[in-house]
Amino acid sequence: MVAPPDNDVLWARALHYSHRGSPRTQSQGGSPALVGVSAGVREGEVLAVTGPRGSGKTTLLRCLSGQLLPDRGEVWFNSVPVHTMGPAARERLRRDRFGWIGPEPRLLPELNVWENAALPLLLAGVPHRTARTAACAWLDRLDIGGFARRHPGALNRAECQRVALARALVNEPSVVFADEPTAPLHRAEGALLLRTLTTAARSHAITVLLATHDGGTAAVADRRLDLLDGRPAGAALAVHDAVRDAVRDAAQDAAPDTPEGSAECSLSA
């Protein structure tokens, strides 16, 4: 293993991961989702992970957050190797130090809004009143504090997504993983969500990894990591160029060498 840089709160080197969803892909070693991806992000920094759908953004965030173990490569959080942790240790890490928000709010319908927002604190054993106070503070920042005692069924999609963001931020995590969080939202709602997320990063020194295929959303980040076909975009384009050149060379090798041969081919065609 290679020790990560001291100034990176989250660092990964040469990650490889393959999906193994069917017997066919399992027998072939899986369908590659990440191929040699490295990343590093500092405390309080917003890193946009960009690329088209299917480029490996979600898989990268899931590997970095400990939800998935890479087939090869290393993931470090605050100089601790996440890739060598057992399932229980990774679960505690996600609960205590990480926040997650995806394109679907995934709220619990039996809990009211503030209870959904406070869920990470309640699961960690924080006193009921303290958890409610913290949750309501984040709900207020997202202009949804008035709905604290309602249930998710009474809210629209955008309001539920704001509750999901409050839940991701309520325990003031070290890192928030935001996987296409504005995808289901109109522009104004998405702008509010991003503004709260980036403000939290600055004011609470929260590191944010923001996966998006939208250039406008990526513009709020400090830096970008572009993915294509599971690789860093530069490496993926180099592979595409190599394949194109190989196909061109093969076609040239197969072509007749003499003008007569060319003419014969033309006539036979």
Side-chain angles (χ1 to χ4, degrees):
M1 292 190 295
V2 178
D6 292 335
N7 55 358
D8 283 347
V9 65
L10 192 65
W11 182 81
R13 184 179 70 88
L15 295 182
H16 290 72
Y17 184 84
S18 294
H19 294 299
R20 298 175 177 83
S22 69
R24 179 174 180 270
T25 57
Q26 289 175 11
S27 65
Q28 296 174 348
S31 174
L34 294 177
V35 183
V37 177
S38 299
V41 60
R42 299 178 180 181
E43 182 181 273
E45 185 178 28
V46 180
L47 175 67
V49 181
T50 63
R53 298 187 189 278
S55 59
K57 302 186 300 296
T58 297
T59 303
L60 177 60
L61 263 61
R62 293 185 69 192
C63 284
L64 293 175
S65 64
Q67 296 180 49
L68 296 175
L69 285 178
D71 301 327
R72 284 188 287 153
E74 305 170 18
V75 178
W76 296 73
F77 169 69
N78 280 344
S79 300
V80 176
V82 178
H83 57 287
T84 63
M85 289 180 174
R90 285 186 283 117
E91 178 64 29
R92 286 193 299 272
L93 179 66
R94 293 196 299 272
R95 183 192 66 199
D96 298 339
R97 306 299 299 276
F98 294 164
W100 181 280
I101 177 173
E104 297 292 335
R106 300 190 183 281
L107 305 180
L108 298 179
E110 64 272 21
L111 302 182
N112 65 28
V113 163
W114 81 256
E115 289 168 336
N116 268 283
L119 194 57
L121 297 177
L122 296 172
L123 291 174
V126 173
H128 194 271
R129 179 174 295 180
T130 303
R132 181 176 61 188
T133 299
C136 289
W138 282 108
L139 292 170
D140 286 340
R141 291 186 183 101
L142 285 156
D143 296 333
I144 201 172
F147 296 159
R149 295 189 176 278
R150 297 188 186 182
H151 282 74
L155 276 59
N156 62 35
R157 180 71 174 273
E159 291 163 346
C160 286
Q161 193 70 343
R162 284 191 249 169
V163 178
L165 179 58
R167 181 182 59 197
L169 294 168
V170 71
N171 61 345
E172 297 184 11
S174 298
V175 184
V176 168
F177 298 89
D179 183 20
E180 299 281 8
T182 62
L185 305 179
H186 295 300
R187 184 174 298 275
E189 288 285 355
L192 171 62
L193 200 81
L194 288 175
R195 185 166 61 249
T196 303
L197 185 57
T198 54
T199 299
R202 315 300 185 219
S203 62
H204 293 75
I206 296 174
T207 299
V208 177
L209 280 89
L210 174 64
T212 180
H213 66 278
D214 178 69
T217 300
V220 306
D222 301 307
R223 289 189 297 116
R224 290 175 57 155
L225 171 61
D226 299 322
L227 298 182
L228 183 64
D229 297 339
R231 293 177 168 87
L237 292 174
V239 170
H240 291 176
D241 290 344
V243 170
R244 181 198 61 201
D245 293 344
V247 170
R248 182 192 61 201
D249 293 344
Q252 290 175 348
D253 291 343
D257 294 331
T258 64
E260 292 80 2
S262 300
E264 288 176 3
C265 287
S266 298
L267 289 172
S268 63

